[in-house]
Amino acid sequence: MYRRAAVYSAALLALLAGVVTVSAGVGPVAVPARTVVAVVANAVVVPAGVEWGGNLAGAGGSLTAGLPLRVRFAHPFAFAVPETHAAIVMRVRLPRILTAAFVGVGLAAAGTVMQGFFRNPMADPGVIGVSSGAAVGAVSWIVAPSAVLAFLGPLRPVLAGGAGLQLAAFCGALVAGFGVYLIASRDGRTPVATLLLAGVAVQTFLGAVVSYLLLHSGESIRRVTYWLMGHLSGANWSEVAVLAVLVPTLTLVLMAYARDLNVLLLGETDARALGVDAERSKRALLAVSSVLTGAGVAVSGVIGFVGLIVPHAVRLLVGPDHRILLPTSALAGGSFLVVADTVARSGVAELPVGIVTAAAGAPFFLYLLRTREVYDL
């Protein structure tokens, strides 16, 4: 099993690297793939030594702040590349492409968990209202930022620092996800059917809130609509850095629960008989999936169908074992969203990436409805 997981994951990781390289060369100015590789190699830095001395206190950056030392870095590669190509790849395209890759990984991983958790092939990361909560937070920030600042008093300095939209969306996602969990839980138990129905109800209510805010968005309606369709045009290296820490870490946590997820597919009674603490595993899976989804939606807007169609497509290839399905779906989700975003920005006029994923996902969703049986809860 582990050998199969390693082989499939290595192949999909290579595919993701290839897709990122090709995508970085696509645009109004075409950049050859070998130039993209050279630009990325030139940006690599490695520690080259440490300097000690009393006059260096605090001079070495955040890692050595306050210490009398400074770490020297060096670029091991110095390939000759046009400066214009280097600027296009490093400042314009790569932040957006890497953001798409990390968001795709997170949404696909969360979607795989939700489908297994609810034993329902139609479940996706937004089924418990996380995406709708993020939408309420983001739209509220766009339409009435002063009201959001007043509501999130302790976070005012951070929100006013330029990341207000992303933080408002992230907070909205967490409040919605954990709110649904609290509504569905009683006496320490969280029935899956109750959780699903509570998620649908909260999702509907939050949809009404978004519609109300849209009616009062005034001149902001274009920005609100663009965000709700999902987009990656404003991605930057700061968002990439946050996602690079959160997404791989949380995906690894989900993978640690892959065996429990397999056992939960048998039903909670059988899971307990096999020694799995069903309630603890469910709490962990829900919490991590909610944070993972919220982080992705906060930077990209609402992008549908990635968490729905990618796990199904990968399941046809590798089977239902979550120890293999979870890492492979995550990597495939990264490649899928990078390709979708490349298509979205390659036309005469740029499209929100959510339109491209929906255009690909809706036909597949209808195919599932026509050919697959929806499992009983």
Side-chain angles (χ1 to χ4, degrees):
M1 185 281 300
Y2 291 109
R3 183 176 179 181
R4 285 185 63 212
V7 171
Y8 281 125
S9 298
L12 288 167
L13 186 60
L15 174 64
L16 178 58
V19 167
V20 168
T21 303
V22 172
S23 177
V26 176
V29 177
V31 180
R34 62 177 180 278
T35 302
V36 173
V37 174
V39 169
V40 174
N42 287 347
V44 173
V45 294
V46 295
V50 178
E51 295 179 2
W52 292 86
N55 59 344
L56 296 177
S62 58
L63 293 177
T64 58
L67 300 177
L69 60 86
R70 178 170 56 194
V71 178
R72 289 187 290 106
F73 293 93
H75 295 269
F77 305 104
F79 297 105
V81 294
E83 290 186 6
T84 305
H85 287 179
I88 290 173
V89 171
M90 293 304 298
R91 299 177 188 173
V92 179
R93 294 181 186 167
L94 212 50
R96 175 173 182 157
I97 293 167
L98 292 179
T99 299
F102 282 121
V103 171
V105 166
L107 293 179
T112 304
V113 169
M114 288 299 172
Q115 288 172 7
F117 184 91
F118 287 105
R119 286 172 280 165
N120 188 322
M122 300 304 169
D124 71 0
V127 72
I128 58 171
V130 175
S131 298
S132 299
V136 170
V139 175
S140 299
W141 174 262
I142 295 171
V143 176
S146 57
V148 178
L149 286 172
F151 183 73
L152 300 174
L155 296 176
R156 289 185 66 171
V158 182
L159 289 168
L165 176 64
Q166 291 82 355
L167 286 173
F170 186 66
C171 291
L174 294 188
V175 169
F178 287 99
V180 169
Y181 172 76
L182 292 176
I183 291 171
S185 298
R186 180 170 297 178
D187 300 329
R189 294 185 64 253
T190 310
V192 172
T194 306
L195 185 68
L196 179 59
L197 293 173
V200 171
V202 170
Q203 195 173 8
T204 304
F205 172 76
L206 294 177
V209 174
V210 171
S211 298
Y212 177 81
L213 291 172
L214 266 173
L215 287 174
H216 295 81
S217 56
E219 296 179 356
S220 303
I221 190 167
R222 181 179 176 84
R223 188 183 176 196
V224 171
T225 305
Y226 199 69
W227 191 91
L228 291 175
M229 290 182 179
H231 68 93
L232 294 159
S233 58
N236 55 57
W237 281 110
S238 297
E239 293 173 349
V240 173
V242 173
L243 292 173
V245 173
L246 280 180
V247 173
T249 303
L250 297 177
T251 303
L252 288 174
V253 173
L254 291 178
M255 289 168 58
Y257 282 88
R259 177 186 171 277
D260 290 6
L261 202 53
N262 284 341
V263 177
L264 285 172
L265 287 176
L266 303 173
E268 294 184 27
T269 303
D270 291 338
R272 293 191 190 92
L274 293 171
V276 172
D277 188 337
E279 292 301 327
R280 188 192 66 178
S281 297
K282 285 160 55 180
R283 284 195 295 271
L285 289 168
L286 275 178
V288 176
S289 297
S290 298
V291 175
L292 196 53
T293 305
V297 175
V299 300
S300 67
V302 180
I303 299 177
F305 287 105
V306 177
L308 176 65
I309 64 172
V310 172
H312 282 299
V314 176
R315 191 178 287 110
L316 294 174
L317 175 66
V318 305
D321 188 340
H322 285 89
R323 293 171 295 181
I324 304 174
L325 179 61
L326 194 48
T328 51
S329 291
L331 292 169
S335 297
F336 174 77
L337 195 54
V338 170
V339 172
D341 185 58
T342 304
V343 173
R345 64 180 171 82
S346 299
V348 177
E350 181 174 326
L351 295 173
V353 67
I355 293 178
V356 178
T357 59
F364 190 81
F365 188 78
L366 295 174
Y367 161 78
L368 290 175
L369 289 176
R370 293 285 298 175
T371 60
R372 297 289 187 89
E373 178 183 359
V374 180
Y375 302 145
D376 294 331
L377 292 175

